[in-house]
Amino acid sequence: PRDLRLVAGVFDVRKPYFAPDEANVFRQLGSVRHRGVEISLTGSPHEGLTLVAGAVLMRPRVTGEPVAQGRIGREPVGQTERILTLSGTWALPLEGLSFTFAANHHGRRVADQLNRAYVPAATILDAGVRYRFDVGETPALLRFQVTNITDEFDWKVVSSGAFELNAPRTATLFLTLDF
């Protein structure tokens, strides 16, 4: 039951940075460097409980002439320095019944090319219940899930000055049959 695996890595990724310039023309504006660590922990710390946890901690930075001239900021639009996730399944005492959960967190993100505005950090929580059973000889799954339980308001930064609203609290019920 106590089968846990930890994986960690460091990275340093450099690539061209493309974004709209001050005339709103999409083009290469320099280079972006993502340097950081990625860590994941998976496994079953207790009988019936399966977990997946992960973290990406990085320092994304833009370099190049537009940054040196102050035409764009050093932080790339839409990037964050912190992404954390935890999800799992807990098998309940009743055969075929399990509880699922997830927590996803991101740090603040740059919202404009000049790095004057930021979207705040947010954490989205999800939970659900699954029940596996048979309909005659056919395996079936009944799943009830609530996403964004706390109805957290969050913006996704699509590009400089463009945003997409996250989905509000949503409940779904699925019945799946394997024929």
Side-chain angles (χ1 to χ4, degrees), residues 27-173:
R27 64 182 187 90
Q28 185 175 346
L29 295 179
S31 297
V32 64
R33 178 180 188 180
H34 294 88
R35 182 171 43 181
V37 298
E38 184 171 354
I39 304 164
S40 68
L41 177 68
T42 60
S44 182
H46 187 275
E47 188 174 342
L49 178 62
T50 303
L51 295 175
V52 176
V56 176
L57 306 170
M58 67 177 168
R59 188 167 183 226
R61 291 295 182 260
V62 178
T63 58
E65 191 174 308
V67 175
Q69 295 172 346
R71 297 184 356 239
I72 65 171
R74 292 182 43 81
E75 296 179 63
V77 173
Q79 298 292 308
T80 182
E81 294 185 348
R82 178 180 66 244
I83 300 169
L84 308 173
T85 185
L86 172 66
S87 63
T89 302
W90 178 30
L92 299 172
L94 180 62
E95 180 71 29
L97 188 63
S98 60
F99 172 70
T100 61
F101 57 91
N104 294 292
H105 171 83
H106 63 77
R108 74 179 192 159
R109 291 164 296 182
V110 177
D112 74 317
Q113 284 291 63
L114 290 171
N115 298 172
R116 296 173 299 189
Y118 292 83
V119 170
T123 302
I124 307 295
L125 304 174
D126 305 330
V129 178
R130 292 191 308 214
Y131 181 57
R132 295 184 187 279
F133 60 101
D134 292 328
V135 176
E137 304 247 344
T138 304
L141 172 67
L142 181 64
R143 182 174 184 169
F144 175 72
Q145 184 174 15
V146 179
T147 56
N148 194 4
I149 292 171
T150 59
D151 206 20
E152 179 78 18
F153 180 84
D154 188 31
W155 291 106
K156 176 182 176 187
V157 180
V158 179
S159 67
S160 183
F163 307 93
E164 182 179 294
L165 183 60
N166 71 310
R169 179 185 310 117
T170 305
T172 55
L173 180 65

Side-chain angles (χ1 to χ4, degrees), residues 167-178:
R169 179 185 310 117
T170 305
T172 55
L173 180 65
F174 297 97
L175 174 61
T176 307
L177 299 170
D178 292 335

